[in-house]
Amino acid sequence: MLRLIGVLLAFCAATALAQDYPTKPVIIVVPAAAGGPTDTLTRVLAAAMSNAMKSQFIIENAGGAGGIIGINKAAKARPDGYTLLLYHIGMSTAPALYRKLPYDTLADFDTIGQVADVPMTLVARKAMPPAGFAEFLAYIRANRDKVTYAQAGIGSASYLCGLLFMSTIDAQFTQVPYKGTGPAMNDLIGGQVDFMCDQTTNTVPQIRSGNVKVYGVTTARRLASLADVPTLDEQGLRGFDLVVWNGLFAPRGTPKPALDKLVAALQAAVQDPAFKARLADLGAEPVGLAKATPESLRGLLKAEIDKWTPIIRKSGVYAD
Ligand code: MLT
C-alpha cells in the first residue's frame, strides 16, 4: 500500500512538473570564458529557446582545464531541469586525455540534442608578417622556438585543431593556454600571441573587421560567410577537415517531462529562421531536426569517444 502511495505521489509530482516546468530561469553552463565561441553559440541558442519556451535561459561561464571545470559543475548539479550544459567535441576527448576525470561522461549526463556544427579558421595577429599561407608555414618552421599558439586548454577544440595542424605540417610551437578563446582572441588582437585555430562563431566578426589575419578555413569546402578565404585543404594540407559539433546536455536523472520540453524547445530553435540566419552569418550551421534529439547526441557522443580514445592513447598525451 505504502509503495502504491509512493508511486502515485511520484506520478503526481512528475505531472505537476510537466505542467509547470519551467517556473524559473534555466541556467546553461558554458565550460569556457565569456566572449568565446561556445559562449556566443549558447547565447544565440538561449534567445531562440527562450522564445520557444516563453521562459528565460541564462548563461553561466565556468571556464578552465579545457572545459573540465564547467562540465563537472553541470554533472554535479541538481537534475531538476534548471541546469544544462552546452559543450562540444571536448566532451568526447576528455575521457582519454584525463587519467582521472571527476565525472563519467556517458553515465552522468542525459542528452537533449545536437545544436550546431561549427567550422574553424586559422587566424593570426594582424601584424603577422606572412601575407599568405605558404609563407606562413615557412615562417612557423623558421621561427619554431618563438611562435606562440593560443588555445583553450588541453582537450578544447582550439587545442585539438592545433594538434592536428602540428602533426599535419610536422612542426611544434609553444602552446599558450587560456580559459577560453574569448580571452585568447583579446590577446591575439593585442598582438600578445601569434596565432590560433578557432571556431568561426568567434573569428568571423574579427576577420571581417580586420582585427586579425586569416590564413584558411578548416573545412573541406569554402564557407559562404568567408567566401574569399581558401580552405587549408586547397592550400596544400590535403584532407584537413575539422568541424566542431556542439550539443546540449542535462545532469543524469533530469525528469522526463522537463527533458521533453527542452527537446521541443531545441527543435523549435534549430528551425527558427532568426537562429539559422545568425549562425549562418557566423559561418556555422544548426543541425537538422533528426540530429536535434537525445538519441542522436548520445550516439554521436559514443561514436566520438570511440573515435578519439585510440588516437589520443596512441599519441601518449595526458592532461593530468
Ligand atoms: C575551444 O577551443 O574549445 C573553445 O574555443 C572554447 C571556448 O568557447 O572558448
Side-chain angles (χ1 to χ4, degrees), residues 51-169:
N51 228 354
M53 228 153 93
K54 305 281 171 273
S55 179
Q56 215 190 346
F57 285 78
I58 50 181
I59 279 89
E60 187 177 316
N61 297 92
I68 301 308
I69 291 169
I71 301 171
N72 189 41
K73 184 168 191 164
K76 304 286 189 303
R78 186 198 290 253
D80 56 5
Y82 290 99
T83 304
L84 311 178
L85 169 76
L86 193 141
Y87 208 37
H88 57 33
I89 192 167
M91 288 292 278
S92 53
T93 53
L97 282 167
Y98 286 81
R99 292 178 179 90
K100 265 192 171 178
L101 263 189
Y103 58 85
D104 182 321
T105 310
L106 288 170
D108 291 350
F109 288 100
D110 284 324
T111 47
I112 295 169
Q114 293 185 57
V115 176
D117 294 320
V118 188
M120 302 187 85
T121 42
L122 196 64
V123 288
R125 64 185 163 84
K126 201 173 156 181
M128 177 61 83
F133 181 66
E135 298 94 309
F136 179 59
L137 279 189
Y139 180 91
I140 291 179
R141 291 194 170 113
N143 294 280
R144 56 181 69 211
D145 300 334
K146 283 185 249 147
V147 174
T148 50
Y149 178 79
Q151 36 93 337
I154 295 183
S156 65
S158 44
Y159 171 84
L160 294 167
C161 185
L163 208 60
L164 189 60
F165 184 58
M166 280 199 297
S167 77
T168 310
I169 66 167

Side-chain angles (χ1 to χ4, degrees), residues 41 114-118 244-247 275 279 284-287:
L41 174 64
Q114 293 185 57
V115 176
D117 294 320
V118 188
V244 180
W245 61 263
N246 288 266
F275 179 71
L279 283 197
E285 206 183 328
V287 296

Side-chain angles (χ1 to χ4, degrees), residues 205-278:
Q206 305 304 341
I207 293 169
R208 281 197 190 134
S209 55
N211 288 333
V212 294
K213 207 169 227 179
V214 60
Y215 287 119
V217 297
T218 63
T219 40
R221 263 175 290 161
R222 288 193 186 201
L223 306 175
S225 60
L226 292 173
D228 295 341
V229 180
T231 66
L232 294 179
D233 177 279
E234 77 186 78
Q235 297 182 97
L237 303 192
R238 292 280 168 242
F240 200 105
D241 190 6
L242 189 58
V243 177
V244 180
W245 61 263
N246 288 266
L248 192 60
F249 302 84
R252 175 55 68 90
T254 299
K256 174 101 172 41
L259 285 176
D260 288 347
K261 284 197 174 178
L262 290 164
V263 172
L266 172 64
Q267 298 209 333
V270 299
Q271 295 178 92
D272 177 347
F275 179 71
K276 285 183 171 175
R278 181 75 188 111

